[in-house]
Every structure is written in C-alpha cells, then in structure tokens.
Amino acid sequence: MAKVLIVDDSPTETYKLTGMLEKNGHKVITAVNGEEGVSTAKVELPDVILMDIVMPGLNGFQATRQLSKASETAHIPVIIVTTKDQETDRVWGMRQGAKAYLTKPIDEKELFTTIAKVSG
C-alpha cells in the first residue's frame, strides 16, 4: 500500500483523510503547513501527497510548485485537496505541478480512484 503525506492545517480534515487511508491499508504521515509539507516530503519520500491550498505561510500552490521543481520530490504525485472549487484554482493548481485536483468534502471512492490513477 502507499505511503501518503497529508498536508493540511485543519486537524478535522487530516483526521478524516487519515481514517479513510488507514482503513484501506495506507501508511499516513502528516504536515500542518506548506513548509512542513515540503520538508517532510524530502525526508519521507511518500508515494503520493494530498495538499490543501489555504494554509498559513507557504500555501498549497507554492508548496506544490516547490515539490514539482525539486529533483528529489519531482516524481511524487501531488493531489490538491481543497474547498476551492473555482475552475481558475483548478487550472492554477495543475500548472503548479499537481497531478489531480479534488474538492472537499472528499468522496472516499473518488479519492482512491485518483490515488490509483496518479500512482500508476
């Protein structure tokens, strides 16, 4: 199963995503903001990253851009997981290097389909 890094400043969202992932056999690591997400990704080298956008400090767009540009993390697919459901946000997220874009509340089946798609 995959090692998944969740980058989200909401303890509630992190808890919900962790529950979905762990019950399906995935290993979960977490970070509470963009800076921590980037540094954790470089150390842990997860199989996939679930990235929130609206966070203090380095936001999800900036963190995704850093991860997709850094040689040690460029191979790790980033799935943006956010409440921002505007098409402009989706396009911008994909331009930063995200492989997929999901809006909250997250549908469990859609989450696993997307993880399989970007990891495959």
Side-chain angles (χ1 to χ4, degrees), residues 37-49:
V38 171
S39 61
T40 302
K42 288 179 178 179
V43 173
E44 294 281 345
L45 298 175
D47 299 304
V48 67
I49 299 169

Side-chain angles (χ1 to χ4, degrees), residues 103-120:
T103 51
K104 297 174 185 173
I106 293 299
D107 174 73
E108 193 168 332
K109 187 169 181 287
E110 184 182 20
L111 175 66
F112 290 108
T113 302
T114 304
I115 289 173
K117 187 177 77 179
V118 302
S119 303

Side-chain angles (χ1 to χ4, degrees), residues 28-41:
V28 175
I29 40 183
T30 61
V32 295
N33 58 45
E35 291 94 343
E36 188 181 314
V38 171
S39 61
T40 302

Side-chain angles (χ1 to χ4, degrees), residues 18-96:
T18 299
M20 282 183 213
L21 291 160
E22 286 182 343
K23 82 171 192 207
N24 284 279
H26 296 289
K27 180 180 189 301
V28 175
I29 40 183
T30 61
V32 295
N33 58 45
E35 291 94 343
E36 188 181 314
V38 171
S39 61
T40 302
K42 288 179 178 179
V43 173
E44 294 281 345
L45 298 175
D47 299 304
V48 67
I49 299 169
L50 302 180
M51 179 74 71
D52 186 26
I53 291 177
V54 183
M55 295 181 284
L58 195 69
N59 71 33
F61 289 138
Q62 295 164 319
T64 298
R65 184 168 52 243
Q66 284 187 18
L67 290 165
S68 64
K69 298 261 185 284
S71 58
E72 67 267 44
T73 54
H75 68 283
I76 304 169
V78 176
I79 301 172
I80 290 179
V81 178
T82 182
T83 54
K84 295 172 78 66
D85 62 354
Q86 298 297 309
E87 186 60 25
T88 51
D89 295 319
R90 183 180 302 271
V91 168
W92 186 245
M94 300 308 270
R95 278 204 187 135
Q96 304 316 302

